[in-house]
Amino acid sequence: MFDASTTYVSLEQDTSLGMITLRADLASDKLKKAINEIGLGDLPAQRQIVSSSELSLGWMSPDELMLFCASQNVADIVQTIADHLAGEHSLVVDVSDARAHFVLKGAHIREVIAKLAPVDLDPTQFDVGELRRTRFGQIAAAFWFSDQTTAHIICFRSVAAYMHEQLIRAAASGSEMGIWSEA
Amino acid sequence: MSTRLSSGGLYIDRSARKSFTFNGKRFEGYEGDTLASALLANDQMLMGRSFKYHRPRGVVASGAEEPNALFNMGRGRHFEPNQRATTTELFEGLEVASQNHWPSLEFDVGAINTKLSRFLPAGFYYKMFIHPRPLWKHVYEPFIRKSAGLGKAPSEKDASTYEHFYAFYDLVIVGGGIAGLAAAKTAAQTGQRILLIEQSAQWGGRALIDGGEVAGQPVDNFVEETLTFLKSKSNVTLRTRAMAAGVYDHGYLLAYERVSDHLPEAKGPRHRLWRIRTKKIIAGTGAIERPLPFAQNDVPGVVLASAARDYLAGYGVSIGDRTVIVTNNDDAYLTAIAVKNAGLDVVAVLDSRANGAGDLGQKVRDMGIRVEQGKGIAMVKGSKRVTGVSICSQAGEGAVLEGLDCDCVAMSGGWSPVVHLWSHCGGKLIWDDRQQHFKPDVNNYPKDASGNPLVWVIGAANGVMTASGCVVDGERCLEGASDAGTAAQPETHEESGVNPIEAVWMMPQGAGYALRSKAWLDFQNDVKVSDVQLAAQEGFHSVEHTKRYTTLGMATDQGKLSNINGLATLAGALNLPIPQVGTTTFRPPYTPISMGSIAGLARNEAFQPIRQTPMHQWHEDQDAYMEPVGQWRRPYCYPRGSETHAQAVEREINQTRNSLGLLDASTLGKLLVKGPDAAKFLDMLYTNMMSSLKVGKCRYGLMCSENGFLMDDGVVARLDEETFLCHTTSGGADHIHAHMEEWLQTEWWDWKVYVANLTEHYAQVAVVGPNARKTLEKLGGIDVSKESLGFMEWSEGKLGGFDARAFRISFSGELSYEIAVPANQGLAFWNTLLEAGEEFGVMPYGTEALHVMRAEKGFIMIGDETDGTVIPQDLGLNWAISKKKSDYLGKRAQEREHMVDTERWQLVGLETMDGSVLPDGAYAVEAGTNANGQRNTQGRVTSTYYSPTLSKGIAMGLVKHGPERMGDVIEFPKVDGAIVKAKIVDPVFYDKEGVKQNV
């Protein structure tokens, strides 16, 4: 029987994550300087995400990145990057409110995600440092791991309720599989 | 009597008793029992009635192939029909009821059909019910529907949960028998990621039942050692109760895991559907024993010889005290030995072969068992239970030589490899004449994307019929499954001491009609040898046609027992070799899987994503009546008290037109388009000129497809020199975003334009009505005066403390602002507006009021006035089509002959003569009929509403020569035959000069 009250990974919706869409020529020196300026090193390679203690920068497509930061810093960071990119074709825009951010924690995050997303979650195939744009059930979503027991999932805010519903079902106590850890 | 023996039973734990009920009667079994073995242990041989003739039926098999023992199981929210007793594990409190009988299993009125069977042959329904035609719908179909079906349909919602699991492997091995285990052991050492699945609860397969030695050790040792090894390997995942249901292209494999069918009290899902991508599949799916076709072979107590051994060795259950074995091969002699060793009586072994069996024959004789060679069964005696058999010569026509009393008949017609997984993706079969079965043709394997074998077969599924051969075949699986796929057909040399099987497709071979019409091929669908022969006689020569005409193999068992016997019978009737007749198509799933497992988590609140605006919960709290708009739910109206929807809509419109209304417009698409070429890009996308739009201004624009048809519309705001914010329709946001990206990525890839979809970043509220400005001024912040924020202008800043962008646009004809704030502030902003608007009697209005108000103004709606065949010129929107631009998407198409045809229907307003509301979609007729004899038409209604503002029905429609015919009256017939007359008028019914929106 489905019981929403207990899940075998912890699940939390976090509203403090700021998100910035950044479209530009990813080979641009100005862009690299801008990214260095805000405290990150190299740009993420294809399907990767790079992080510092406060920021993460994910690869979304050959000309698009998404920057994750504390929501109160969004305006400043947008301004800093836009200033650096002045004169270069680019688009830097706050999209923090467009998406919902869920944090899964626990030993079994891999199998919970694998119940919803058609992604190979074997540690040899997907690990910290990778960001995957995919689907969860019937909606578009992306996810990455910040460590072995913490997964971050983002989806559009209009379907956050659906995402929550399917996550608590996939993680319902009693549905443990023990694929990548003992159940 | 079937009963539990005092000892034996590999699978059961005699210390753990489980009680269950059958048709209300309380029975007991042991942990490890299947429902079938537990029923047999309680002497419940009669388990159901057949589908067509309602004949008494008992269990015939011991596994997934069982056609008879199907039950209604559970109750209420845990009820499920057609549960197979042979694969249902017993649990405490299990409740089952037999199916397909009335009033009771013991006495069934429908059994009269068996007396009428002469008159109910194959094709009876087709022939009988075709004339007279009207009777089909009113008499025959309701009757057949009532009598059809095996189990009952559940009446309550399923309480169990289900889920999916996406899994990826290098290799999936299907079947936990000795071949599969041997294969896994070999493959595990390569380090590949491997999944090994077994459909039953036990590893080892039927080799454990028959015993013997493999790989130099007893079978049970081999199984145990191999399992221990596999469990120690981190690259191997083992799963029991997991059935490979289907193989699909590109290495897609569905596996059906019955997680808690046997633990109904457990938390968690009942079934889990594994959606697997694998590079390679190895099928060690075993083989299924075939029944023999002899008269009355369906009487309860007639079972497969292997099933008799399974029940004895696996569950310590005997089918009867006195068993007759009937066979055309050596394997069934094992049953004689097993029965005898269990201390029970083997009355005789009837071997159809004149030369009898090899070494096993001698062994059986040495045990003192009577063996009759060249003999078979003429007829089984008994109806609800076997009471005896009459013996005949297999070579003859069925003259009875002798009667034998017995209560069990164990039959074996040979073994057919389970080739389903091999065949699902196109693996071919060959006929093995020596073993009398179809088996995989390893030179014609199902291919992966590179042309290499996607599925490989091992063991009995590959036609290897000895235990030691299966292990060898499993061990060398990687050779066959290699990229080259070069392994030779497995060696199936004649084993020494074994006599070959004899082809027996009717027993006795010369049986007359009386016997043939009682010799069952398909137990579940009641198809007999005579039916297939009749089909052949009537011209159904293709095996696929015969299958559908007779229903052979079309029941829930999908013909696992009946297919080969059926097509061999057909081949005989057509006088063709069996391989020339071929098999029917093997389609997934291998055995039925639950509907719940297919849906997975997608039920109740997780059934489908419903898009919600930031104010969604507020609307629900007001009990708004919601309607779907794309995947959004939007308030249609907000009924108060006992108001009807129409009354609510009227109130909302009057309030908005007279004072102040609020609309949650958050669903509108909001696409940010930025770059040095953004203006040029929008000039190509919209029919009108966007490059001339000044910063700070808004412009309504139309977007057409390449073929010229109107696709989307909305207001574009220029944010700065190279940045535009394009509003789209609610349903069009994602489509237009994709449309923009497609042109930018494929056609104009060198244009410097970036697009970002900001639809969900903003909540947007339309503040509408004569008091809109006063309300916003109360909030303070952005100057919303006429001078600072004129009609079709936008401005941004703080509004009542919110980060806002205000657009002075109107879709209602009133003074109107649309305010966008970050979505997280949306609900607070909405509440602030409600508070500020209180003195003006503020009310939210829904989509219906929105529609009516725009129709009163003559504004078009994408999806109402357009349907994919309408161009802007049809809608009188020439003012929004730039004449100056050299090109835009759709321009060339709109110059085609058909698009400039003056006969195209044009948009007009329609006013009924009696003030009534025209039916939506109604057609205006004109004189004469067309080439198809249909009434000619001259127009149709595209939008129609009751207008509270004008107190009458108003409509828009497309009418031939419409704009030139102002004042003409045209006729719209209704479905009830009445005619509504309507006058052609201007489509703008309200404030044509636009004074009200421009204050």
Side-chain angles (χ1 to χ4, degrees):
Chain A
M1 288 286 290
F2 165 65
D3 176 4
S5 61
T6 57
T7 54
Y8 69 101
V9 299
S10 79
L11 167 65
E12 200 178 298
Q13 191 173 347
D14 158 50
T15 53
S16 70
L17 186 66
M19 292 171 245
I20 299 166
T21 283
L22 212 173
R23 297 194 66 175
D25 175 0
L26 301 192
S28 147
D29 288 336
K30 285 187 176 180
L31 176 65
K32 280 175 191 152
K33 279 199 192 107
I35 297 304
N36 293 340
E37 177 71 23
I38 59 169
L40 284 166
D42 287 344
L43 262 53
Q46 190 174 42
R47 292 201 311 276
Q48 303 295 305
I49 184 167
V50 294
S51 300
S52 70
S53 56
E54 289 170 4
L55 300 171
S56 290
L57 183 62
W59 184 95
M60 304 297 276
S61 83
D63 62 2
E64 183 173 345
L65 304 170
M66 186 171 277
L67 185 70
F68 304 95
C69 60
S71 52
Q72 69 270 18
N73 299 334
V74 168
D76 288 347
I77 292 175
V78 167
Q79 196 58 54
T80 305
I81 297 175
D83 288 349
H84 272 82
L85 290 174
E88 206 161 287
H89 173 42
S90 61
L91 185 158
V92 188
V93 60
D94 175 11
V95 292
S96 308
D97 289 16
R99 288 175 181 81
H101 174 221
F102 292 87
V103 182
L104 295 188
K105 280 182 191 286
H108 305 276
I109 52 175
R110 288 178 185 272
E111 71 176 43
V112 170
I113 292 173
K115 291 179 185 182
L116 297 170
V119 175
D120 189 348
L121 279 138
D122 192 87
T124 61
Q125 305 296 313
F126 188 97
D127 215 340
V128 175
E130 189 151 2
L131 176 144
R132 184 63 56 92
R133 297 181 73 174
T134 178
R135 66 176 174 84
F136 274 59
Q138 301 164 58
I139 57 172
F143 71 94
W144 68 98
F145 291 170
S146 52
D147 60 51
Q148 289 301 330
T149 55
T150 310
H152 302 261
I153 304 167
I154 53 171
C155 67
F156 282 113
R157 71 167 291 134
S158 66
V159 288
Y162 169 81
M163 179 63 99
H164 180 77
E165 289 293 342
Q166 55 174 0
L167 282 172
I168 55 174
R169 283 167 168 73
S173 296
S175 66
E176 295 89 341
M177 296 178 68
I179 293 291
W180 289 289
S181 52
E182 294 304 311
Chain B
M1 287 278 287
S2 63
T3 190
R4 182 89 64 186
L5 303 173
S6 60
S7 63
L10 281 173
Y11 305 140
I12 56 168
D13 175 359
R14 289 181 188 252
S15 67
R17 291 176 182 275
K18 304 276 173 191
S19 67
F20 67 105
T21 64
F22 168 74
N23 287 347
K25 275 184 286 184
R26 195 164 173 281
F27 286 144
E28 264 192 359
Y30 295 123
E31 183 165 315
D33 259 327
T34 62
L35 175 57
S37 66
L39 285 169
L40 290 172
N42 288 279
D43 193 27
Q44 188 62 51
M45 189 73 222
L46 177 59
M47 296 193 191
R49 293 271 176 171
S50 72
F51 184 69
K52 188 169 164 187
Y53 303 131
H54 295 245
R55 284 174 68 91
R57 289 286 163 76
V59 73
V60 64
S62 55
E65 68 275 26
E66 171 61 33
N68 290 337
L70 303 177
F71 293 91
N72 288 318
M73 188 162 141
R75 65 161 69 178
R77 297 190 63 188
H78 292 281
F79 175 84
E80 196 169 12
N82 297 333
Q83 295 302 290
R84 192 167 270 110
T86 50
T87 56
T88 299
E89 293 175 60
L90 193 67
F91 55 84
E92 178 67 32
L94 180 148
E95 285 180 48
V96 288
S98 50
Q99 301 184 156
N100 209 35
H101 52 70
W102 186 85
S104 75
L105 179 61
E106 298 297 322
F107 176 75
D108 178 13
V109 169
I112 186 76
N113 283 2
T114 191
K115 304 271 189 266
L116 300 174
S117 66
R118 235 199 138 84
F119 307 105
L120 295 169
F124 167 77
Y125 289 88
Y126 300 123
K127 292 167 187 160
M128 175 63 203
F129 296 127
I130 191 115
H131 296 294
R133 287 283 181 177
L135 282 189
W136 171 253
K137 185 173 175 192
H138 300 292
V139 180
Y140 301 142
E141 190 184 353
F143 171 77
I144 290 172
R145 280 193 186 281
K146 207 171 263 180
S147 59
L150 291 160
K152 288 186 220 160
S155 59
E156 290 181 46
K157 193 167 177 169
D158 187 353
S160 303
T161 62
Y162 304 85
E163 67 185 23
H164 292 172
F165 183 67
Y166 295 94
F168 298 77
Y169 292 98
D170 295 316
L171 177 64
V172 177
I173 300 169
V174 181
I178 51 174
L181 289 168
K185 187 176 177 183
T186 303
Q189 292 159 22
T190 65
Q192 297 182 80
R193 284 200 288 159
I194 298 167
L195 173 69
L196 173 62
I197 52 177
E198 161 57 38
Q199 64 181 352
S200 75
Q202 295 96 12
W203 297 104
R206 64 166 305 105
L208 286 178
I209 298 290
D210 291 339
E213 284 207 348
V214 292
Q217 56 182 329
V219 166
D220 49 355
N221 281 8
F222 170 79
V223 170
E224 185 140 351
E225 274 184 18
T226 310
L227 269 178
T228 306
F229 169 77
L230 293 173
K231 284 175 183 164
S232 75
K233 302 293 285 184
S234 61
N235 59 326
V236 179
T237 303
L238 299 161
R239 222 73 188 176
T240 52
R241 301 186 175 96
M243 184 264 297
V247 176
Y248 307 82
D249 285 340
H250 303 289
Y252 191 51
L253 173 73
L254 276 188
Y256 174 65
E257 184 183 9
R258 302 200 299 167
V259 183
S260 63
D261 271 346
H262 61 299
L263 302 166
E265 300 302 317
K267 288 173 77 179
R270 177 169 167 239
H271 299 148
R272 179 181 291 128
L273 198 62
W274 291 53
R275 304 173 67 168
I276 302 167
R277 290 278 176 196
T278 180
K279 292 181 185 141
K280 203 76 76 184
I281 297 161
I282 291 179
T285 44
I288 292 175
E289 195 167 26
R290 294 191 296 259
L292 280 167
F294 49 82
Q296 300 261 61
N297 61 350
D298 67 328
V299 174
V302 179
V303 298
L304 294 172
S306 58
R309 295 205 294 282
D310 285 339
Y311 289 116
L312 270 179
Y315 308 97
V317 166
S318 72
I319 306 288
D321 290 353
R322 294 162 303 162
T323 301
V324 166
I325 315 277
V326 58
T327 182
N328 62 349
N329 64 76
D330 281 19
D331 193 63
Y333 283 73
L334 293 173
T335 304
I337 296 166
V339 170
K340 187 80 179 174
N341 284 344
L344 299 163
D345 190 29
V346 178
V347 180
V349 175
L350 308 176
D351 192 325
S352 69
R353 298 169 296 181
N355 61 339
D359 295 349
L360 278 175
Q362 193 53 49
K363 185 172 176 191
V364 165
R365 265 193 215 91
D366 292 347
M367 292 173 80
I369 295 171
R370 174 181 172 189
V371 177
E372 293 285 343
Q373 292 174 188
K375 300 292 190 297
I377 291 178
M379 173 89 79
V380 173
K381 297 173 191 164
S383 63
K384 288 179 194 163
R385 190 67 219 249
V386 170
T387 57
V389 296
S390 42
I391 307 179
C392 64
S393 292
Q394 169 60 17
E397 293 174 33
V400 175
L401 303 175
E402 183 186 350
L404 295 177
D405 289 343
C406 64
D407 47 16
C408 171
V409 175
M411 61 182 165
S412 177
W415 290 83
S416 296
V418 174
V419 296
H420 295 65
L421 299 183
W422 174 265
S423 300
H424 283 168
C425 262
K428 300 291 181 244
L429 305 177
I430 50 173
W431 177 254
D432 182 328
D433 209 41
R434 202 178 59 77
Q435 301 194 133
Q436 289 290 308
H437 59 211
F438 279 106
K439 66 180 182 185
D441 174 1
V442 294
N443 295 313
N444 280 299
Y445 45 78
K447 295 181 175 68
D448 66 14
S450 311
N452 295 318
L454 169 60
V455 183
W456 198 249
V457 274
I458 52 169
N462 198 15
V464 179
M465 305 313 284
T466 65
S468 50
C470 283
V471 169
V472 172
D473 202 37
E475 282 169 349
R476 42 174 269 187
C477 65
L478 294 180
E479 295 169 39
S482 72
D483 289 349
T486 50
Q489 202 79 35
E491 296 174 19
T492 53
H493 296 309
E494 290 182 27
E495 296 163 68
S496 61
V498 175
N499 284 352
I501 185 175
E502 176 181 57
V504 173
W505 309 115
M506 185 62 220
M507 177 175 274
Q509 63 85 24
Y513 181 81
L515 294 183
R516 283 185 279 122
S517 65
K518 289 264 179 275
W520 261 257
L521 294 171
D522 185 323
F523 296 97
Q524 202 176 1
N525 267 357
D526 273 333
V527 181
K528 302 154 297 173
V529 169
S530 57
D531 292 318
V532 171
Q533 290 168 335
L534 178 65
Q537 194 180 317
E538 294 190 348
F540 293 92
H541 292 179
S542 152
V543 64
E544 297 282 9
H545 290 158
T546 297
K547 166 178 170 174
R548 282 151 185 85
Y549 190 57
T550 60
T551 71
L552 177 87
M554 283 166 59
T556 61
D557 65 337
Q558 289 284 288
K560 288 185 180 64
L561 294 186
S562 61
N563 269 344
I564 302 298
N565 285 348
L567 65 92
T569 302
L570 180 64
L574 297 172
N575 203 19
L576 290 172
I578 288 170
Q580 205 165 319
V581 169
T583 67
T584 51
T585 310
F586 294 90
R587 291 194 182 85
Y590 174 59
T591 60
I593 64 176
S594 62
M595 301 299 272
S597 71
I598 297 171
L601 296 173
R603 44 198 312 238
N604 301 328
E605 292 80 6
F607 173 61
Q608 63 168 349
I610 301 293
R611 298 179 72 184
Q612 302 180 349
T613 73
M615 291 81 102
H616 183 91
Q617 193 55 49
W618 187 90
H619 304 316
E620 293 217 323
D621 292 345
Q622 311 307 306
D623 288 329
Y625 177 72
M626 308 295 274
E627 70 163 347
V629 177
Q631 282 197 297
W632 297 99
R633 287 291 180 279
R634 299 188 71 183
Y636 174 91
C637 62
Y638 300 81
R640 292 181 175 176
S642 60
E643 264 182 350
T644 64
H645 291 174
Q647 288 165 341
V649 169
E650 185 167 345
R651 172 180 51 72
E652 291 166 15
I653 291 172
N654 288 334
Q655 162 66 21
T656 304
R657 290 241 184 265
N658 294 322
S659 177
L660 180 65
L662 296 182
L663 175 78
D664 179 359
S666 306
T667 60
L668 272 186
K670 306 164 200 80
L671 305 176
L672 190 69
V673 179
K674 179 170 184 278
D677 295 320
K680 180 165 86 167
F681 177 60
L682 294 187
D683 276 350
M684 283 304 292
L685 285 181
Y686 287 94
T687 60
N688 36 358
M689 190 79 90
M690 289 301 171
S691 54
S692 61
L693 184 63
K694 294 200 165 48
V695 174
K697 300 276 188 192
C698 301
R699 184 170 289 163
Y700 173 75
L702 304 172
M703 235 183 256
C704 294
S705 69
E706 260 188 300
N707 291 320
F709 299 115
L710 186 51
M711 193 166 76
D712 207 82
D713 68 349
V715 169
V716 177
R718 190 164 199 165
L719 301 185
D720 62 40
E721 267 313 307
E722 60 173 40
T723 311
F724 296 81
L725 183 64
C726 301
H727 291 100
T728 74
T729 59
S730 292
D734 292 318
H735 167 231
I736 299 301
H737 183 206
H739 176 67
M740 287 179 172
E741 283 292 345
E742 183 182 355
W743 283 97
L744 286 172
Q745 289 178 33
T746 63
E747 205 63 29
W748 304 318
W749 49 270
D750 53 341
W751 292 14
K752 291 185 169 169
V753 183
Y754 286 130
V755 181
N757 188 347
L758 302 185
T759 302
E760 301 209 12
H761 181 65
Y762 293 107
Q764 195 144 320
V765 183
V767 185
V768 182
N771 289 315
R773 182 176 289 137
K774 285 183 206 156
T775 306
L776 294 179
E777 282 170 344
K778 279 177 70 177
L779 299 185
I782 298 175
D783 183 351
V784 294
S785 65
K786 183 179 180 181
E787 296 68 34
S788 298
L789 186 55
F791 187 53
M792 297 306 271
E793 292 180 355
W794 66 270
S795 173
E796 66 186 345
K798 289 277 183 186
L799 192 62
F802 294 92
D803 304 314
R805 193 180 278 143
F807 304 89
R808 176 87 193 277
I809 53 182
S810 177
F811 198 42
S812 56
E814 299 301 329
L815 172 64
S816 163
Y817 299 82
E818 287 197 15
I819 317 287
V821 300
N824 288 342
Q825 302 172 37
L827 181 59
F829 181 63
W830 176 265
N831 283 324
T832 302
L833 287 170
L834 286 170
E835 205 174 300
E838 206 172 346
E839 62 174 293
F840 307 114
V842 65
M843 291 178 192
Y845 66 89
T847 51
E848 185 64 1
L850 160 90
H851 278 99
V852 175
M853 287 193 280
R854 66 89 193 170
E856 289 173 344
K857 273 294 286 179
F859 291 145
I860 62 133
M861 176 70 76
I862 299 290
D864 284 336
E865 276 62 46
T866 70
D867 63 358
T869 70
V870 171
I871 58 176
Q873 290 86 341
D874 297 339
L875 302 177
L877 293 170
N878 300 64
W879 59 268
I881 304 171
S882 169
K883 309 283 183 297
K884 293 182 209 152
K885 292 196 295 189
S886 61
D887 199 9
Y888 61 84
L889 291 180
K891 181 179 171 78
R892 191 164 45 171
Q894 287 166 0
E895 287 165 5
R896 286 179 184 148
E897 197 179 350
H898 177 58
M899 300 299 207
V900 295
D901 187 350
T902 54
E903 297 296 297
R904 285 184 74 87
W905 294 356
Q906 303 277 315
L907 187 77
V908 292
L910 295 165
E911 227 178 274
T912 51
M913 305 304 284
D914 58 3
S916 65
V917 179
L918 273 169
D920 202 2
Y923 274 82
V925 291
E926 69 178 355
T929 55
N930 67 14
N932 298 321
Q934 297 157 326
R935 184 72 185 267
N936 284 332
T937 56
Q938 56 173 326
R940 65 182 160 86
V941 173
T942 56
S943 293
T944 173
Y945 304 99
Y946 173 74
S947 163
T949 314
L950 304 168
S951 303
K952 62 180 178 185
I954 60 166
M956 284 191 274
L958 293 163
V959 176
K960 197 195 288 184
H961 303 304
E964 299 156 29
R965 295 168 62 190
M966 289 297 152
D968 277 13
V969 174
I970 53 177
E971 295 184 346
F972 292 86
K974 294 202 288 188
V975 179
D976 65 6
I979 285 174
V980 186
K981 293 187 174 185
K983 189 164 69 173
I984 299 176
V985 298
D986 188 282
V988 184
F989 293 92
Y990 177 75
D991 187 26
K992 189 166 169 70
E993 294 71 35
V995 176
K996 299 200 67 144
Q997 66 195 16
N998 204 14
V999 291

